[in-house]
Amino acid sequence: MNSVSEMDRVLDDNGGSAPTATQPNTKGLLVAGILCTSIAGIYALTTPFVLPALRRICLPYVPATSKQVSNVFQVLKRRQGKLVDLGSGDGRIVMEAAKRGFAAEGVELNPWLVWYSRLSARRLGLHDKTRFLRQDLWKTRQYNTEDLIAGAMSSTSPSTTTS
């Protein structure tokens, strides 16, 4: 009987109930859920930017500066028609071309940048004058255009020197 009275005393010291295995630890589940959601979100946001670096030919996203956009249109002054930008990134050149009267199209491999370009064009009211395609610029179709912009970095361009 002594052990039963000791057990009653332990139960009274713990507020009258002993913890059971069936009661879940809600704080731990909440923290685990937040952690897993955060990791999944970071993975989803960074994967499209990391994957191009794992390709045989690495094509990193480098946004065009205002000066570079200005230089493109300095070369294209007094021209009209259709313009295609291979590796359009966030669509700066394509949207500027649409503002200047071109029927502008951007080709980009990164789905996040294509989505961002489309959203930016819609926000600026240029969605009916622009088109953004998610395609590999090395495997893209032929374009019926006189003006083609290819903004690849020199490390990705084929060598033009002969040995």
Side-chain angles (χ1 to χ4, degrees):
M1 287 245 194
N2 193 13
S3 64
V4 172
S5 63
E6 254 183 71
M7 183 59 109
D8 287 337
R9 196 168 8 112
V10 169
L11 288 176
D12 286 340
D13 289 343
N14 288 332
S17 65
T20 64
T22 59
Q23 293 176 339
N25 183 352
T26 55
K27 273 188 186 177
L29 290 176
L30 181 65
V31 170
I34 290 171
L35 183 63
C36 289
T37 303
S38 299
I39 290 171
I42 290 169
Y43 179 77
L45 289 174
T46 59
T47 297
F49 295 98
V50 172
L51 285 181
L54 302 177
R55 295 174 51 93
R56 190 173 64 96
I57 298 173
C58 177
L59 296 173
Y61 166 61
V62 180
T65 64
S66 300
K67 181 70 175 162
Q68 290 169 329
V69 173
S70 174
N71 289 342
V72 166
F73 291 100
Q74 185 67 28
V75 171
L76 295 175
K77 64 182 170 191
R78 292 190 219 92
R79 294 189 71 144
Q80 294 295 318
K82 184 175 180 182
L83 177 132
V84 176
D85 183 9
L86 297 178
S88 61
D90 61 2
R92 293 174 193 206
I93 293 174
V94 175
M95 286 182 269
E96 185 62 31
K99 288 177 187 175
R100 294 176 185 234
F102 286 90
E105 192 169 294
V107 177
E108 175 60 45
L109 182 62
N110 187 324
W112 289 98
L113 290 174
V114 172
W115 176 82
Y116 179 79
S117 299
R118 289 175 181 163
L119 183 68
S120 295
R122 181 163 297 280
R123 189 174 45 88
L124 295 172
L126 299 170
H127 59 280
D128 55 338
K129 299 175 186 174
T130 59
R131 190 168 101 161
F132 295 95
L133 304 172
R134 184 186 175 274
Q135 293 179 351
D136 188 338
L137 69 92
W138 302 113
K139 299 173 185 173
T140 193
R141 62 181 170 83
Q142 296 291 325
Y143 290 98
N144 183 17
T145 183
E146 292 180 18
D147 301 314
L148 185 69
I149 308 295
M153 300 173 71
S154 60
S155 64
T156 63
S157 301
S159 176
T160 56
T161 60
T162 57
S163 305

